[in-house]
Amino acid sequence: MREWWRGAVIYQVYPRSFQDTNGDGVGDLPGIMRRLDHIASLGVDAIWLSPIFQSPQADMGYDVSDYIEVDRLFGTMEDFDALIERAHALGLKVIIDQVLSHTSDQHPWFRESRLNRTNARADWFVWADPMKDGSPPNNWPSVFGGRAWEWNPSRGQYYFHNFLIEQPDLNFHNPKVQDAVLDVMRFWLERGVDGFRLDTVNYYFHDAQLRSNPPARRPEHLPYAVNPYDMQEHRYSKSQPENVEFLRKVRKLLDRYPNTTSVGEVGDSHKAVPLMAEYTSGGDKLHMCYSFEFLGDGFTAEHFRSRIETFFKASKDGWPCWSFSNHDVNRHMTRWAKHSQNPAELGRQAVALLTSFKGSVCIYQGEELGLPEADILYEELTDPPGKRFWPEYKGRDGCRTPMPWDEGEAPNGFSDGKPWLPVKPEHSALNVTRQNGDEASLLNFYRQLIAWRKQQDALVSGDITFFKTAEPILAFRRKSEDGDIVCIFNLSPNALNVTVRGASVGPDEISQNAEFDRERLSLGPNGFAYFLAGAGIDVGYAG
C-alpha cells in the first residue's frame, strides 16, 4: 500500500496570519480550528503548522524558548490537542515545524550555557575563542546580515548564530544535544502529530575545525550583493557530512510511530538538489525534502526539468516535496507575473504545474486565492532582515499578511482588532467568500484540480520522463501501471503550437487554453493540456 505522504498535497498554515479569534490581531490555534473546513474543502491530505511554540518572537516563532510548550500568543496545549482531534476527524494529517538547528537566546539551555565554560550545558552550543586580535574565529556570515559570531563576556568567547543574534546554534557534535532534540520530537509524536517539517535541516552541523568559507563560485554574486551572505560558498558553516547519520536517528524514531512522516527544508544555493536526494535516499533518512529551487524567479522549461532530472538521477528511491511559495519568499503570483497576461490563468497554470511534478506538493496559505505579494511600507515592517536591507530587500512580511476571509473592507474577517500586518486592497478583493461563490474562481479550480489529481495514479506516484521540447514548452510523461498521462505546458504569455503525435483522444477538460486538431495542439497564454491516454504519444514544439 502506498504511504499517505508519497504524492500528498500539504497545506502550510502560517498561524499568525490565518485567523484571529481573541481580537489581538494575531492568528491563533482556535482560529485555525475554526477554518479547518476551508482547508479540508481543498482536498489536501495534511496541514503543516509553522511554529506555535513558546518564543520571544524575535523571528516570528523561529526562535524557540520552550520546545514543549505552546506560546500563549497562539493558545494553550488544550487548544492544540483539540486542533489535532478536529483535523483528524476531517481526514487531515498534522505536521508541525521543528526548529532544531538553533534556539532562542532565552531558552534555558542557552541561558545556562552562556554562564561559564564549566556548566552542564557548556558545550551544547557552538562556542569559540577569539583570534589573537579579538576578532571572530572565522569569516562565517549570518543569513540575516552581519557576522555569524556574537561575543559573550561571561565566557570570553563567541557563540555562533546562523540567523539572528537571538538565535544561537546548537552544537550537534554533542550527542547529548542530539538526544535532547530527539526527546522533543518524541514528545510531540506522543501528542498525536503525524510528522515534522524540519526547518533548516542542513544547518545542524558545522565544521568542527571552524574553517573559513571560500568565496562564491557564482560570478553573479560578485562583487555586489544585497546580502554579503550570498558572496560565500558555505562549505563549512552548514551542509556537513555528519548530518546524514543524525537524520538516520530521526528516521529510526519516526519509524516507531506508524504513518508519520518528515519533510526537510534544505537551504543551500550551491548543492540543494543533491542534498535533497542524499537526505531522502535509502529509506533510512528523511521521507521528503524541499529546497528553494522553485521558490525563486526561475520560470523556464529548462529550470524545472533540470532540477527534477537532477534529483531523480542522484536518487532513484528518494522523494521530493515541491513548492512554489512559502513564508520566506515573495509569492509566485508576483514573481512570475511577467510570464502571463492574466493573473487567474497564471494561478491555474502554476498549481497544475506543481501538482503534475513527480513528488509531494506543499501549498502555502493564500495560494488558492491567487494572492500577490503585498506591498508593505517601511513603517509597517516587522521582519528583521527587511529592516536591515531595505529598500533593496523588503523582507518577508509581504507574503505573511493575513488571510482575507470575508467580503468588504480589511481585515476581511481575519480579526476584530488591528491585524499585526495590514490586509491590502488587492488581497481584500480576492477574499474567500467571494471566490466560494464564483464557480470560475481560482479557489474552486484548486478544489477541482486536486480532486481530479487524486483519481490519476500516474500524477500521484508515477515515474516522470521529459520530452525534448524547446522553450517555452515544458512537456513530460507521467507513467503508471494504470496508464500514462502526458502533460504539456506553455510557460509564456504568447499563443504557441505544439505537435502531438499518437494521441487517440484530445486533452482532458481540466486543461486550459488548449485546442487540439489532429496533431496540432494550440496553447494560448499559460495554456496547458493533459492527455490521459498518454501511451505512445510523442511531443514536439511546432512554434
Side-chain angles (χ1 to χ4, degrees):
M1 185 175 70
R2 180 177 62 86
E3 301 101 327
W4 71 265
W5 52 267
R6 197 178 291 274
V9 180
I10 303 166
Y11 186 93
Q12 181 191 355
V13 174
Y14 193 69
R16 296 181 68 93
S17 297
F18 203 61
Q19 177 66 62
D20 171 32
T21 60
N22 61 8
D24 66 357
V26 178
D28 45 45
L29 292 174
I32 297 171
M33 188 157 70
R34 174 182 164 189
R35 300 294 187 178
L36 278 179
D37 285 340
H38 167 78
I39 301 174
S41 77
L42 297 172
V44 302
D45 302 285
I47 61 173
W48 148 29
L49 298 180
S50 289
I52 44 85
F53 316 111
Q54 186 171 300
S55 166
Q57 304 294 320
D59 188 26
M60 303 305 165
Y62 284 87
D63 50 317
V64 180
S65 57
D66 189 336
Y67 282 115
I68 58 174
E69 183 57 81
V70 171
D71 196 293
R72 291 297 177 264
L73 185 68
F74 301 118
T76 65
M77 191 66 79
E78 290 73 24
D79 292 328
F80 180 82
D81 292 340
L83 174 61
I84 292 281
E85 183 178 1
R86 174 61 177 158
H88 286 170
L90 290 171
L92 295 169
K93 306 286 188 182
V94 179
I95 297 170
I96 62 171
D97 235 310
Q98 287 290 279
V99 189
L100 304 180
S101 68
H102 54 269
T103 72
S104 164
D105 62 355
Q106 300 303 307
H107 196 290
W109 296 348
F110 185 72
R111 295 175 71 177
E112 181 177 0
S113 185
R114 74 199 303 179
L115 292 175
N116 53 57
R117 303 190 189 191
T118 58
N119 66 79
R121 292 190 172 90
D123 58 351
W124 277 44
F125 294 82
V126 184
W127 295 97
D129 292 331
M131 303 286 279
K132 290 183 178 180
D133 63 357
S135 58
N138 59 33
N139 70 347
W140 297 352
S142 163
V143 177
F144 288 168
R147 62 191 184 187
W149 295 97
E150 182 66 14
W151 179 251
N152 177 264
S154 298
R155 293 182 53 133
Q157 289 181 306
Y158 285 96
Y159 68 84
F160 177 49
H161 59 94
N162 261 304
F163 299 95
L164 294 176
I165 291 172
E166 295 88 351
Q167 294 170 293
D169 274 56
L170 284 162
N171 177 21
F172 274 78
H173 290 287
N174 185 339
K176 292 181 179 179
V177 169
Q178 296 184 33
D179 291 342
V181 298
L182 289 171
D183 284 343
V184 168
M185 297 175 76
R186 187 178 295 108
F187 172 88
W188 292 107
L189 289 166
E190 292 289 344
R191 205 91 196 181
V193 302
D194 301 290
F196 304 104
R197 179 264 188 183
L198 298 171
D199 185 64
T200 57
V201 75
N202 60 309
Y203 284 67
Y204 295 163
F205 284 84
H206 64 285
D207 175 52
Q209 299 178 50
L210 301 182
R211 287 171 284 188
S212 287
N213 288 324
R217 292 170 292 176
R218 294 184 176 184
E220 64 266 27
H221 286 160
L222 300 171
Y224 171 81
V226 171
N227 186 347
Y229 187 85
D230 297 326
M231 299 171 70
Q232 283 188 11
E233 177 192 346
H234 303 280
R235 185 181 301 174
Y236 299 115
S237 52
K238 62 182 181 182
S239 305
Q240 298 302 292
E242 295 94 331
N243 209 36
V244 172
E245 189 56 39
F246 175 70
L247 297 183
R248 289 194 175 100
K249 293 182 179 181
V250 171
R251 181 58 174 266
K252 187 175 181 181
L253 171 63
L254 285 165
D255 283 347
R256 296 173 187 158
Y257 297 84
N259 299 317
T260 57
T261 195
S262 54
V263 53
E265 175 200 35
V266 175
D268 193 300
S269 60
H270 294 275
K271 52 182 179 180
V273 174
L275 284 173
M276 287 171 59
E278 181 182 15
Y279 288 179
T280 61
S281 65
D284 63 344
K285 296 179 281 295
L286 300 181
H287 299 82
M288 303 175 280
C289 273
Y290 79 91
S291 68
F292 286 73
E293 293 298 300
F294 293 165
L295 294 169
D297 294 335
F299 192 73
T300 64
E302 189 279 333
H303 178 74
F304 292 120
R305 180 174 58 245
S306 65
R307 281 15 178 221
I308 294 170
E309 287 184 331
T310 297
F311 179 90
F312 288 107
K313 183 178 180 180
S315 176
K316 302 298 182 183
D317 60 352
W319 198 254
C321 182
W322 306 114
S323 57
F324 286 168
S325 286
N326 69 15
H327 64 290
D328 281 331
V329 300
N330 287 356
R331 288 184 176 273
H332 67 260
M333 292 297 293
T334 295
R335 298 198 319 266
W336 297 338
K338 65 181 180 181
H339 301 285
S340 177
Q341 297 180 9
N342 182 294
E345 291 178 346
L346 175 62
R348 287 191 289 269
Q349 183 182 64
V351 68
L353 187 66
L354 180 65
T355 55
S356 298
F357 293 155
K358 182 179 180 179
S360 299
V361 171
C362 192
I363 294 170
Y364 178 49
Q365 66 180 49
E367 281 187 45
E368 73 274 26
L369 305 179
L371 297 186
E373 184 78 358
D375 187 13
I376 300 297
L377 304 177
Y378 181 79
E379 55 268 26
E380 297 169 332
L381 278 181
T382 68
D383 191 31
K387 293 179 179 180
R388 182 160 196 158
F389 295 115
W390 181 276
E392 286 77 14
Y393 175 64
K394 297 184 178 182
R396 300 165 293 177
D397 287 333
C399 67
R400 297 177 172 185
T401 54
M403 281 282 285
W405 294 104
D406 302 335
E407 295 263 29
E409 298 181 353
N412 299 93
F414 164 72
S415 175
D416 292 332
K418 181 181 178 180
W420 74 286
L421 283 175
V423 176
K424 299 292 183 170
E426 296 82 2
H427 287 199
S428 292
L430 295 169
N431 65 80
V432 172
T433 299
R434 178 176 297 179
Q435 294 202 41
N436 271 334
D438 180 2
E439 291 184 4
S441 70
L442 181 60
L443 172 57
N444 281 316
F445 181 78
Y446 265 70
R447 291 168 175 149
Q448 178 187 6
L449 180 72
I450 292 171
W452 176 82
R453 177 181 179 269
K454 283 186 174 181
Q455 300 171 8
Q456 318 301 330
D457 287 341
L459 293 183
V460 174
S461 57
D463 288 333
I464 188 168
T465 56
F466 290 86
F467 294 96
K468 295 181 180 179
T469 53
E471 298 287 353
I473 297 298
L474 178 66
F476 50 89
R477 186 192 311 276
R478 297 296 308 276
K479 187 177 181 63
S480 74
E481 294 180 357
D482 294 333
D484 297 0
I485 297 179
V486 169
C487 313
I488 308 172
F489 295 86
N490 171 16
L491 304 179
S492 82
N494 306 310
L496 299 169
N497 294 321
V498 180
T499 300
V500 179
R501 301 183 181 89
S504 58
V505 296
D508 188 86
E509 62 181 14
I510 200 77
S511 306
Q512 171 175 269
N513 292 347
E515 295 183 4
F516 186 61
D517 183 16
R518 297 179 184 178
E519 294 185 349
R520 177 171 172 166
L521 173 66
S522 298
L523 290 176
N526 298 117
F528 57 88
Y530 293 100
F531 289 83
L532 301 191
I537 287 181
D538 188 34
V539 179
Y541 178 35

